[in-house]
C-alpha cells in the first residue's frame, strides 16, 4: 500500500500577513511621551557683569523638601494654597518699579494688592525662587511649577480683560495664528511687560 505524504503548508503567505500586522501596529500604536515644563534657559552673563542688589522682600521663597512638603517663606503651606499666595506677592505693588534707562517706572497703577511695605514693590521686581531637594518627587515639583504659572496666567488674563476686553490666553492664541498683526503683538508684549514671569530655580539641596 502506497504511503500517503502529508501536504506541505505554504508559510509564505503567513509571513506576509505577520509583516503587514507588524507595520499596522507600528503605525497605529501611540507612545507615551514624558511631559515636562518648557523653559528657556537664561544666557550666560558677560565676565564684567555685576548682579543687581535685590531686596529680600522682592523674593518669594518656595522650598520643597525631600518629603514633598511645601515651605513658603519658611512656613508650611499646601500646594492648593500656593497660587493665591503667589498672586498676592506678585500683585502687591508696595513700591516703585525697576529703573529703566535711568528712569524709574514708578508705582504699579494696575496692581490690586495690599501695597504692603513688607512684600514686593512691583511685578517687574517680584522674583519667585523655587528650591527643591534631590529627593523631591518630580510630580510634586511639576505641581508647584504649575501653580506658579497659573498665578501669572490669572493676573495677565485679568489685566488683559481690563485693557483690551479679552483674556491674555485668547490674545496670545490670536497672535500665534497671525504673527504679522502688529496690533496683537503690542498688546501681548504690553501684558507680558506688566506681569513678567520671573521664576528662578535654585540648585537642588541634598537633604539628609
Amino acid at each position: 500500500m502506497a504511503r500517503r505524504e502529508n501536504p506541505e503548508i505554504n508559510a509564505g503567505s503567513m509571513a506576509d500577513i505577520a509583516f503587514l500586522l507588524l507595520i499596522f501596529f507600528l503605525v497605529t500604536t501611540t507612545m507615551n511621551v514624558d511631559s515636562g515644563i518648557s523653559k528657556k534657559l537664561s544666557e550666560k552673563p558677560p565676565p564684567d557683569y555685576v548682579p543687581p542688589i535685590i531686596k529680600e522682600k522682592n523674593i518669594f521663597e518656595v522650598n520643597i523638601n525631600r518629603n514633598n512638603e511645601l515651605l513658603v517663606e519658611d512656613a508650611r503651606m499646601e500646594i492648593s494654597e500656593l497660587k493665591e499666595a503667589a498672586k498676592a506677592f506678585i500683585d502687591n505693588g508696595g513700591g516703585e518699579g525697576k529703573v529703566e534707562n535711568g528712569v524709574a517706572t514708578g508705582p504699579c497703577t494696575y496692581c490690586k494688592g495690599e501695597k504692603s511695605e513688607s512684600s514686593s514693590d512691583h511685578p517687574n521686581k517680584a522674583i519667585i525662587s523655587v528650591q527643591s531637594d534631590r529627593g523631591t518627587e518630580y510630580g510634586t515639583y511639576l505641581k508647584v511649577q504649575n501653580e506658579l504659572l497659573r498665578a501669572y496666567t490669572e493676573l495677565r488674563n485679568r489685566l488683559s480683560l481690563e485693557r483690551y476686553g479679552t483674556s491674555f490666553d485668547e490674545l496670545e492664541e490670536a497672535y500665534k495664528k497671525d504673527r504679522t498683526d502688529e496690533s496683537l503683538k503690542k498688546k501681548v508684549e504690553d501684558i507680558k511687560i506688566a506681569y513678567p514671569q520671573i521664576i528662578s530655580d535654585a540648585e537642588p539641596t541634598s537633604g539628609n
Side-chain angles (χ1 to χ4, degrees), residues 159-176:
L159 184 61
S160 183
L161 282 167
E162 291 175 356
R163 290 185 176 180
Y164 307 116
T166 184
S167 71
F168 179 74
D169 288 337
E170 295 172 335
L171 204 63
E172 199 170 34
E173 189 62 31
Y175 178 60
K176 286 179 181 178

Side-chain angles (χ1 to χ4, degrees), residues 64 68-69 79 136-145:
I64 319 166
N68 299 304
E69 295 169 333
I79 294 179
T136 302
E137 291 181 1
Y138 188 58
T140 303
Y141 173 80
L142 284 179
K143 287 179 182 178
V144 167
Q145 289 283 351

Side-chain angles (χ1 to χ4, degrees), residues 1-39:
M1 185 176 180
R3 180 181 170 183
R4 295 181 60 185
E5 294 183 0
N6 294 326
E8 293 184 0
I9 299 175
N10 185 2
S13 58
M14 294 182 66
D16 292 338
I17 293 171
F19 179 74
L20 290 172
L21 286 173
L22 178 62
I23 296 297
F24 172 78
F25 286 120
L26 286 173
V27 171
T28 59
T29 302
T30 57
M31 306 292 287
N32 289 329
V33 179
D34 291 337
S35 60
I37 296 175
S38 176
K39 277 196 173 184

